[in-house]
Amino acid sequence: MASLETPPTHHCRALHCYSLGFPAGAPMVKFSKQFEAQLVPEWKEAFVDYWQLKKDVKKLQTAAGGGVVVPAVVASPWSHQKPPTAAHWVMRLPFLHPHGHHREPAAIQVHKKLGIGGSIDGAVAGEVYETGVANEAGFVDAEAAKAFFQRLDQQLNKVNRFYERKEGEFLERGESLRRQLQILVELKAAITQQQQARRSGGSSKGSADTDDLSISCSIQLGDQSLRGIAEQEEDGQETVTKDVTAKSTDEGLEDQLSISHGLGESGRHGRPNEEAAHKLRTLSGRVVTCQGRNVRINIPVTTPSRTVTAICELLFEDMLSQSKKTGTHGSDSNEKLSINKRKLHQAEKMIRGALVELYKGLGYLKTYRSLNMMAFVKILKKFDKVTDKEVQQIYLKVVESSYFNSSDKAIRLMDDVEELFVRHFTEGDKRKAKMYLKPNQREESHSTTFFIGLFTGGFLALSIGYCIMAHIAGMYTQQSNKVYMSTSYPVLSMFSLFFLHLFLYGCNIFMWRKTRINYTFIFEFAPTKELKYRDVFLICTTSMTIVVGVMFAHLTIIVKGNPSSAVQAIPGSLLLVFLSILVCPFNIIYRSSRYQFLRVIRNIILTPFYKVVMVDFFMADQLCSQVPVLRSLEYLACYYITGSYITQDYGYCTRVKHFRDLAYAVSFLPYYWRAMQCARRWFDEGDINHIVNLGKYVSAMLAAGTKVAYENNNSAGWLSLVVIVSSIATIYQLYWDFVKDWGLLQFNSKNTWLRNDLILKQKYIYFLSMGLNLVLRLAWLQTVIHPNIGSLDSRVTLFFLAALEVIRRGHWNFYRLENEHLNNAGKFRAVKVVPLPFHEVAED
């Protein structure tokens, strides 16, 4: 009994582990809030249902009379107070007594058995725990106690199954990455060897030749039809099945390894017997024999240069296949392929990205493990307090010995990944490796909040002054200064609409963070570079303060009667300053975010040559709501570039036919870009829904075309066509908004007319949002009605309608990402899928 004099350290560690991850000295916060704030959002359903267990404990508390029963015995054996005596320990251990006269029955007995059962992610259950409640335990409500432990067992079994499944996925992914690194190192060594051979042979021809050094490998061309190759991905999930036959030169052993592993985070198996090759979607999908290995190289087609290269290689391979069939090349089906440093660099970047994502996933798994352990400790402690029974020690022994808490494979793999990364990608620099693997979150400064308030006040004051000055000068009316309304007003309206949109994006970020929607993962933003909502608000308030201040000064000069060309150039200069800041190469004013924005715009403009990712088509959708801004930008560019501001000929850009046609083309561009993105996504993924979505943007272009025709020819026939085409396009768009983008209107949902999973607790908000989206989608009616608000200029009315469309888009954004987040959570997808460049295949 001597060993019972001190509490087991393992239990002590478990009981105090709930302090992990929370800063010392932090204000006391309920554990349920801490738990919800730190869990992995996409894995929420796989965590312990702590809130339901609390409800079960409250039922027991109600049955006991509503008060918490405080034990009359000594403090818990795991506290830091005086160690308990042996007698106190025996009270908590079943079937032991210090004098051996009788056994005191335990309140519960936990049984472990092997069984097969379903799980939340389709895994096969291994160890299953069942708890039996003794009839002699003396619970006030025995049925409620049994229900509590039944639910607790379910949660423990769920956690074990999920942890084992995810651990297996990460282990297989880690093994694949080890093989990728081995192939990469061997190919690099081969190129280095060839480089040294050339130097020793005196064939050095400068640095250009060094960069083009390559190794030749034989290509084994197959007879497969390119269009007959099966899909590799389904909804962001990839499952690769490969057989690798490798001979160890050192030991002379032959290993047969068959691996079927999911590269996605859904935990579900894909189609088992499909060949994992995308010849149409990779830079090279061919099998090469190099350095004694058969390797398929898959570089995703994500850029225009890779797209053109892939098309050329595709045509070349088709010609070789046809030549082989017709016997032009005889029986020789092997050609040469050069693998140069550029391709190896692309492969290296892919492997590095995959290692970073694997490390991130392992970090999530570590968090999953510790948070669930905390939850079990806390809920059992509550149970003991309410029932005055000592079950915490008994059940915690089981929890601590269960798979999710006892397995250390993921922890060891995490250390291995860090070691591999340091060795292969940072040349032994651990600090640099930490920047990739454990990037520090940028801290928010209180000064940001201060300047938001400061510039908001400045913006409001200047706006009031501008409105008073415009009213005194008679601007914005039907009898206002035509030159000012045609040249200066577009600058103000363009900035207003743009920064209104940006402000709503800041509101979206605030709401996404508040509701735990993982927008940074969805958009693939770097955690160290993403804009926080305070940053967005600071940009908006600062920029609009500058814009309104300059336009106020400009209007004051105009009112004083100084309409010189220099004065007319002020709005254009303001626009030029903002464009210069946007492309400024210096590391000031959020350079990483500015360049990220420019890259996304580049990807949109060059669609479909760039691979389309979430942030690309999300931004293209925003542009569809900013057509008035694009038209104003086109007009101002024409007005200032052609020098019309010198003569104040504001009608020149609307009189000249090719400029007028360009303005119409700009109106169609966002819908065209979005349609091309749908076509590219269909090409990459093969999902017919993308073609249906393409039809939505084609209908929008047709509606826009009929409006343009009606503006040029005000006839009843064109008016009827506008109403018909616009009505069809609106119905099409509303269906896609509600059903596809928001995931609502599901008839079999447990939430009537909504969907099964809802982030917002108040259901009526979803119905109000659908109604608001319906009303704002009908803004096209202004083309038919031609509304006028008093004596205001028609351009002001159009500005308000354009602002309503921007508000609709900001409102749409929240539900679009909510649905995307729930889709990821439904598949437990918490880390990005990074395709691997090398795929070994067995020799025939």
Side-chain angles (χ1 to χ4, degrees), residues 195-356:
Q195 181 179 353
Q196 292 174 350
R198 285 192 179 186
R199 285 177 178 173
S200 62
S203 59
S204 176
K205 296 180 180 180
S207 60
D209 290 342
T210 302
D211 292 337
D212 292 336
L213 279 175
S214 60
I215 50 178
S216 296
C217 309
S218 63
I219 306 170
Q220 299 177 347
L221 294 176
D223 295 327
Q224 302 178 39
S225 169
L226 294 176
R227 287 290 181 182
I229 297 178
E231 294 289 343
Q232 184 183 6
E233 296 181 17
E234 184 176 5
D235 296 329
Q237 175 185 355
E238 299 180 8
T239 301
V240 180
T241 304
K242 64 179 182 178
D243 294 318
V244 181
T245 304
K247 291 188 176 181
S248 174
T249 55
D250 296 335
E251 302 177 6
L253 298 177
E254 179 173 304
D255 301 324
Q256 288 285 344
L257 178 62
S258 177
I259 301 176
S260 176
H261 62 97
L263 302 184
E265 281 299 304
S266 64
R268 301 173 183 172
H269 293 289
R271 306 170 193 170
N273 295 318
E274 295 179 349
E275 182 171 351
H278 284 259
K279 292 189 180 181
L280 287 172
R281 297 162 191 151
T282 56
L283 187 58
S284 176
R286 294 167 292 186
V287 179
V288 300
T289 300
C290 191
Q291 306 298 310
R293 290 178 180 271
N294 285 343
V295 180
R296 176 179 287 114
I297 305 173
N298 290 329
I299 305 294
V301 179
T302 56
T303 62
S305 60
R306 293 185 189 178
T307 303
V308 173
T309 304
I311 292 173
C312 293
E313 291 186 352
L314 174 65
L315 296 174
F316 179 68
E317 185 174 337
D318 278 340
M319 287 190 298
L320 289 178
S321 298
Q322 292 296 327
S323 300
K324 180 183 175 182
K325 289 179 180 179
T326 57
T328 305
H329 286 270
S331 60
D332 185 11
S333 61
N334 289 343
E335 297 293 336
K336 294 294 180 184
L337 173 71
S338 62
I339 304 177
N340 54 27
K341 281 189 173 181
R342 189 176 296 107
K343 287 184 179 179
L344 284 184
H345 180 66
Q346 293 167 354
E348 186 176 7
K349 286 179 64 177
M350 292 170 65
I351 296 172
R352 184 182 65 190
L355 277 172
V356 170

Side-chain angles (χ1 to χ4, degrees), residues 121-181:
D121 61 342
V124 177
E127 296 177 347
V128 176
Y129 295 92
E130 290 183 0
T131 301
V133 179
N135 294 329
E136 304 84 8
F139 288 108
V140 177
D141 189 344
E143 292 302 321
K146 290 179 181 178
F148 169 80
F149 282 106
Q150 183 179 6
R151 192 183 305 278
L152 196 64
D153 292 337
Q154 290 173 354
Q155 297 302 311
L156 178 57
N157 294 331
K158 176 182 74 173
V159 169
N160 278 326
R161 287 195 294 265
F162 184 82
Y163 187 90
E164 186 174 4
R165 165 64 58 146
K166 283 298 168 189
E167 184 185 65
E169 288 181 6
F170 290 140
L171 289 173
E172 290 176 353
R173 184 68 163 172
E175 182 61 30
S176 298
L177 284 170
R178 283 192 185 94
R179 293 181 178 277
Q180 296 285 313
L181 282 171

